[in-house]
Amino acid sequence: MKLPHILLALLVTAVWGFNFVVIKVGIDNFPPILFSALRFTAAALPLAFFVPRPAIAWRYVIAIAVVLGIVKFTLLFWSMHVGLSAGLSSLVLQSQAFFTIMLAAFVLAERPTRMQLLGIFVAFCGIALIALTVDGSITITGLALAIAAAFMWAISNLLMKQAGKVDMFRLMVHVSLIPPIPLFALSLMIEGWEADMAALSSVSWAGVGAVLYIAYGATIFGFAVWGMLIGTYGAGRIAPFSLLVPIFGMSSSALFLGETFGPLRMAAAALVLAGLMLTLVRKRAPLAEVGAV
């Protein structure tokens, strides 16, 4: 790979890792479902009027929007709202790779390699270790919601696989068109009119910045560059860079939010990352390597 492209790949993983800190800032300023609705609104408009729709059937765009945009992000934001730290969220969410491999085995009859099976076992040992560290800083509910979010991301990966080769940037712009109205309605039903209006009427620059960062930095810039790199070098060469996302996520959370990681959580993180590395040791690229959050 050329040095500028290596630096771009590192930049994208840093942007995606820091995104978990930004999500934490966002849900401190908005109810979590409302924050998700604002994120997709900003990502879709006005770009959807200028960016061509990807050459796939609308049923795939809608299905991905529902599973990834509405369900996955609602679960992720709620997991952080009810008690999962930004750093651990960035780590636990990577279990989507293992769920993707397992779902592909059942749905698409793609037989996992022994190395992948070992990687899944090692990684879930790490997640079980995280569950043992439940205390005032994280809750079992937050951990469970993050795992559920990872599972929904895995389902969206299979939908993308069935949709065929697609420009990820164009896909994400048009996928972002669908979640806002259902998410705004869901926010009104669950979080309430008063909470939503209070957040919008007292919005701070930090809240606005969080919406803009997650929409244009993590979504538009991140997927545009990631898609360009995959198109240039192939998914197999770019996928290993995604291992840096939880590293950037945990380090930025420690630096900006004061999150601490004791020996047990560091061991858990090492197991999850080791499991991710083992799943990438194969001749053909894994299915779950389209990006991050």
Side-chain angles (χ1 to χ4, degrees), residues 52-132:
R53 185 172 67 87
I56 61 172
W58 265 111
R59 66 178 182 274
Y60 288 115
V61 177
I62 295 171
I64 293 168
V66 171
V67 174
L68 184 68
I70 298 175
V71 182
K72 179 252 184 177
F73 280 103
T74 297
L75 290 171
L76 174 62
F77 288 7
W78 265 102
S79 75
M80 297 178 68
H81 179 65
V82 300
L84 191 63
S85 63
L88 288 180
S89 296
S90 70
L91 181 68
V92 172
L93 197 61
Q94 301 311 311
S95 61
Q96 59 86 17
F98 317 120
F99 285 128
T100 301
I101 292 168
M102 292 186 290
L103 285 173
F106 287 106
V107 178
L108 304 179
E110 292 187 3
R111 181 179 298 178
T113 66
R114 292 180 180 177
M115 198 66 73
Q116 286 180 315
L117 292 174
L118 177 61
I120 291 171
F121 174 76
V122 169
F124 278 107
C125 285
I127 292 175
L129 202 57
I130 292 173
L132 294 177

Side-chain angles (χ1 to χ4, degrees), residues 128-166:
L129 202 57
I130 292 173
L132 294 177
T133 69
V134 168
D135 54 22
S137 62
I138 70 169
T139 65
I140 197 67
T141 302
L143 179 61
L145 287 171
I147 293 173
F151 184 77
M152 298 309 297
W153 189 1
I155 294 175
S156 74
N157 285 335
L158 263 65
L159 290 170
M160 291 181 191
K161 171 80 170 181
Q162 293 178 319
K165 190 174 181 180
V166 62

